Each structure stands twice: as C-alpha cells, then as structure tokens.
Amino acid sequence: MAIFALLSTILPIVIIIFVIVYAVKNKEMGDEAVIRHLYTYLVLFATLMMVIGGGISIFMAAADLVSPPGYYQNFEDFKQVYHDQKVPTEESKSLTDAEIRDRYDQMIKDDKNRTRENAKNQIIKSLGFIVIPLPIFLYFNNMRKRQSDI
C-alpha cells in the first residue's frame, strides 16, 4: 500500500520532468510533432503499466490457486464457539468432539474452495488488464517506429 502511495506521488513528477526534457530536446521539430510524440509515449507508458499490473495480478492469483492460504482458526477455538454460543441450541449441546471436528474440517475445505474460486475469478479479471491494453500498446509502438522513421 505504501508503495502505491509513493508511486502515485513520484510518478507524476517523473513524467512531468520527462515531458519538459523531451520538449526542450526536440524543440526544433515543432510543437505539433513534440506533442504527438509525447502523446504516443504517454499512451505506451500507460498501457505498458496496465499490462505489467495485470501480469502481476495473474501471478498472485495463480499462487492462491495453487496454494491457498491456510485457515487461521484452530480446532480448539472452533470447538469453543460451539460450546459458548449466546443462545445454545440443542444441536450444539449434543454434538460430540468427532462431529465438531468433521464440521471444522468441512469449514476448512469450504474456505480453501472459496479461495480457489476467488483466485480463478481474479485471473479472469486480470486477463482484461493484458488483453485490452496490449493491442493498443502494439499499435502505438508501431506508430512510434513510423514517427521515428520520418
């Protein structure tokens, strides 16, 4: 979280410095050409950042899919919840330790399955951050190459 805050403050400053240096360096090209080049580079930068962010997000979701994080409530805490309910039901009073253990194991399996389903969903969403901006990046990269040939 702190990294994103740092990047959101430093990144615009770096971009502004880049724009100023680029404009001064290429002053002889003319204002319209400089603006066109700057626009091309800014689009390339933005789409590249989106593709990189999508790739990172896919990697993190794939890690959750392969190895979901563990469940943090231990069996003793789970058992205590069943025995210390504010309004005890007959069912919770009559459960044996083996039945409570079965419910605990089922809860752990359900949690892992939920985490895996969320990871699959995140992978699909993150693919959008690669599939959508990548063609735009490739188009503008070709445009940049054509501009530099002129």
Side-chain angles (χ1 to χ4, degrees):
M1 191 73 157
I3 293 173
F4 293 119
L6 182 66
L7 283 177
S8 66
T9 56
I10 293 176
L11 194 58
I13 295 169
V14 171
I15 290 174
I16 290 169
I17 291 171
F18 172 74
V19 167
I20 292 170
V21 168
Y22 187 80
V24 169
K25 180 181 173 198
N26 297 310
K27 194 173 185 179
E28 65 276 354
M29 276 197 306
D31 292 339
E32 185 179 323
V34 170
I35 291 172
R36 189 178 309 127
H37 279 106
L38 288 175
Y39 177 74
T40 302
Y41 282 116
L42 288 174
V43 170
L44 284 170
F45 176 74
T47 55
L48 182 63
M49 289 298 109
M50 290 174 73
V51 170
I52 290 171
I56 291 169
S57 183
I58 286 176
F59 181 79
M60 290 170 39
D64 282 344
L65 186 64
V66 171
S67 175
Y71 191 74
Y72 295 108
Q73 184 180 27
N74 62 22
F75 176 67
E76 293 303 318
D77 293 339
F78 183 80
K79 187 168 122 178
Q80 192 68 31
V81 169
Y82 263 84
H83 290 300
D84 291 343
Q85 290 178 347
K86 293 198 187 263
V87 182
T89 62
E90 288 299 319
E91 180 185 341
S92 67
K93 291 292 185 185
S94 63
L95 290 176
T96 65
D97 280 353
E99 292 170 328
I100 294 174
R101 172 63 82 172
D102 289 340
R103 288 186 181 197
Y104 174 73
D105 292 338
Q106 184 62 42
M107 186 179 63
I108 290 174
K109 288 178 189 174
D110 291 343
D111 185 65
K112 285 190 183 238
N113 287 336
R114 189 177 319 106
T115 303
R116 285 191 175 113
E117 289 301 317
N118 287 340
K120 289 176 189 175
N121 191 2
Q122 184 65 37
I123 288 173
I124 292 169
K125 289 177 186 177
S126 298
L127 279 172
F129 276 97
I130 293 176
V131 171
I132 295 169
L134 188 61
I136 297 169
F137 176 83
L138 295 174
Y139 173 77
F140 274 85
N141 193 33
N142 286 336
M143 183 186 295
R144 179 193 57 82
K145 288 178 184 175
R146 279 186 269 134
Q147 285 175 355
S148 64
D149 290 341
I150 294 175

